[in-house]
């Protein structure tokens, strides 16, 4: 995960993305009709603006989450990134390649080598064993059988399924099938992983296990991920940054802490209303400058959540020192911690 250490160019750069479905959709761009609310636009033109002028960058090693309610445009947006859906307008670059200008052959290469996608519906090949499902992308790529099976076994071990490599998909539970899908997507070692609501069909316990799995895989591999979800706890848990969409547009883009701590509008505030702020906000959010001559207590890293810091703050007579790389950035006292907790839920 990137944190603040961004170097070089973003791995994904999306600029001014529009997707309008309907007759003569491209004629709507640049006219006053493009600014109409979704229902008005449909009534007047028969067109639907699924994605409206969306721009964002994703940096190497980042988990970038796009979230919103059903119909917000998030799945359409992620499909435009590799032109599974053709954008009506805008520019997309992945790994320096101009995706919007790519030929059909170049797009095939991009999807085979640079980007893998994991869908809600697993799409496993029912007549092939688990190990052959994982190795499928490598087979398409022309990798020799022994090499691709060796790579598939590595991935099955990584997701904890080495014992079922000879099983068929219908012999596995939903959670295990989804792990096979994740292993298959990782097998080609893509630069980018796109997840489109992959766990929304799973029951809550399996879903949490799969979230753990994604976090662990990301930490072990440093993979860049774009993750689509309608589930706020999932977004907060996985995302380095979160883009919240409504009616085709991004209404807020920021870290989980920024989204919870400073909602951009009432829509976002309503989304995050029930989130326990102390579980998300860190000492950076509530620290203040130390007063001249003020004695400080024990140090805690500035990225420590308020919840995890409470025992230390409560047991110290002096304000806790919020530190980063050994330097004191500020102090946090009991009053600030109590105010943060008191503000939860509203």
């Amino acid at each position: 995960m990137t944190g603040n250490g961004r170097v070089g160019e973003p791995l994904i750069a999306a600029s001014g993305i529009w997707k309008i479905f309907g007759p003569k959709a491209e004629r709507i761009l640049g006219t006053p009709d493009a600014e109409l609310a979704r229902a008005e636009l449909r009534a007047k033109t028969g067109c639907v603006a699924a994605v409206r002028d969306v721009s964002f960058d994703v940096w190497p090693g980042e988990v970038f989450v796009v979230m919103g309610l059903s119909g917000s445009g998030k799945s359409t947006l992620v499909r435009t990134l590799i032109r599974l859906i053709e954008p009506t307008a805008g520019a997309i670059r992945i790994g320096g390649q101009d995706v919007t200008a790519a030929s059909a052959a170049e797009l095939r290469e991009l999807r085979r080598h640079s980007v893998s996608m994991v869908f809600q519906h697993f799409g496993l090949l029912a007549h092939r064993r688990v190990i052959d499902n994982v190795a499928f992308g490598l087979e398409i790529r022309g990798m020799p059988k022994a090499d691709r099976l060796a790579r598939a076994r590595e991935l099955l071990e990584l997701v904890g399924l080495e014992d079922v490599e000879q099983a068929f998909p219908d012999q596995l539970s939903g959670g295990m099938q989804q792990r096979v899908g994740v292993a298959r997507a990782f097998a080609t070692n893509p630069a980018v992983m796109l997840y489109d609501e992959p766990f929304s069909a799973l029951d809550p316990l399996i879903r949490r296990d799969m979230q753990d799995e994604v976090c662990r895989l990301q930490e072990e591999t440093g993979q860049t991920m774009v993750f689509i979800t309608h589930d706020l706890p999932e977004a907060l848990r996985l995302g380095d940054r979160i883009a919240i969409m409504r009616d085709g547009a991004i209404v807020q883009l920021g870290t989980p802490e920024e989204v919870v701590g400073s909602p951009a509008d009432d829509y976002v505030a309503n989304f995050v209303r029930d989130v326990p702020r102390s579980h998300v906000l860190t000492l950076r959010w509530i620290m203040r400058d130390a007063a001249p001559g003020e004695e400080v207590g024990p140090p805690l890293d500035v990225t420590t959540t308020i919840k995890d810091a409470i025992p230390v703050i409560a047991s110290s007579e002096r304000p806790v020192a919020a530190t980063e790389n050994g330097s004191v950035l500020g102090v946090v006292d009991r009053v600030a911690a109590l105010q943060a907790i008191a503000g939860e839920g509203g």
Side-chain angles (χ1 to χ4, degrees), residues 129-131 156 160-169 171-172 176 180:
R129 297 184 189 276
V130 163
I131 191 165
L156 285 171
L161 291 179
E162 61 270 28
D163 295 339
V164 296
E165 67 170 57
Q166 294 304 315
F168 288 95
Q171 296 173 299
L172 305 181
M176 293 169 83
V180 175

Side-chain angles (χ1 to χ4, degrees), residues 280-301:
V280 179
L281 301 184
T282 66
L283 298 187
R284 189 188 298 277
W285 203 259
I286 61 170
M287 68 185 183
R288 59 170 172 81
D289 292 336
E294 183 176 22
E295 292 186 17
V296 296
L300 278 177
D301 192 277

Side-chain angles (χ1 to χ4, degrees), residues 19-291:
K19 178 58 188 179
I20 302 174
F21 293 99
K24 300 177 182 172
E26 65 284 346
R27 295 191 185 179
I28 290 169
L29 291 175
T31 72
D33 286 351
E35 304 304 318
L36 292 175
R38 186 172 282 183
E40 291 178 65
L41 180 67
R42 186 190 290 121
K44 183 175 180 182
T45 67
C47 292
V48 175
V51 178
R52 292 172 172 265
D53 197 19
V54 166
S55 300
F56 63 90
D57 294 330
V58 181
W59 298 83
E62 182 173 28
V63 179
F64 186 86
V65 174
V66 184
M67 75 157 296
L69 300 177
S70 180
S72 61
K74 58 191 185 299
S75 288
T76 300
L77 173 64
V78 78
R79 282 167 165 76
T80 65
L81 295 180
I82 52 174
R83 285 174 53 197
L84 291 175
I85 291 176
E86 289 287 345
T88 308
I92 301 160
R93 300 186 74 82
I94 297 179
Q97 180 179 358
D98 185 345
V99 177
T100 31
S103 66
E106 288 169 335
L107 272 181
R108 278 196 300 275
E109 287 300 294
L110 177 82
R111 294 169 189 164
R112 281 182 187 173
H113 295 277
S114 300
V115 182
S116 280
M117 195 155 183
V118 182
F119 295 95
Q120 176 180 337
H121 303 292
F122 318 127
L124 301 180
L125 303 167
H127 62 289
R128 288 188 170 223
R129 297 184 189 276
V130 163
I131 191 165
D132 294 314
N133 266 280
V134 175
F136 184 64
L138 300 172
E139 183 181 341
I140 290 175
R141 203 183 268 187
M143 181 181 282
K145 184 171 184 178
D147 294 345
R148 68 177 183 255
L149 292 182
R151 171 68 175 154
R153 285 193 179 95
E154 282 178 26
L155 269 299
L156 285 171
E157 198 170 326
L158 199 59
V159 298
L161 291 179
E162 61 270 28
D163 295 339
V164 296
E165 67 170 57
Q166 294 304 315
F168 288 95
D170 65 0
Q171 296 173 299
L172 305 181
S173 68
M176 293 169 83
Q177 288 182 33
Q178 193 60 285
R179 279 177 200 222
V180 175
V182 170
R184 181 177 62 186
F186 266 92
T188 55
N189 197 27
V192 178
M193 293 277 286
L194 303 179
Y195 289 90
D196 188 11
E197 301 216 48
F199 309 142
S200 58
L202 303 177
D203 74 50
L205 287 177
I206 296 173
R207 183 177 188 144
R208 189 163 180 92
D209 285 346
M210 288 305 302
Q211 292 168 5
D212 288 341
E213 199 71 25
V214 166
C215 289
R216 187 177 65 79
L217 288 171
Q218 203 280 334
E219 284 176 16
E220 288 189 16
T221 64
Q223 201 84 48
T224 304
M225 299 180 179
V226 178
F227 198 100
I228 308 299
T229 184
H230 64 265
D231 183 74
L232 181 64
E234 186 167 75
L236 295 173
R237 190 152 185 248
L238 297 176
D240 291 320
R241 287 186 302 146
I242 300 170
I244 297 182
M245 291 189 72
R246 181 187 189 190
D247 292 341
I250 291 178
V251 293
Q252 184 165 6
L253 199 168
T255 64
E257 193 170 10
E258 288 164 347
V259 169
V260 171
S262 279
D265 59 16
D266 290 345
Y267 179 75
V268 180
N270 198 42
F271 244 124
V272 303
R273 185 182 58 203
D274 297 326
V275 174
R277 290 160 61 89
S278 64
H279 292 219
V280 179
L281 301 184
T282 66
L283 298 187
R284 189 188 298 277
W285 203 259
I286 61 170
M287 68 185 183
R288 59 170 172 81
D289 292 336

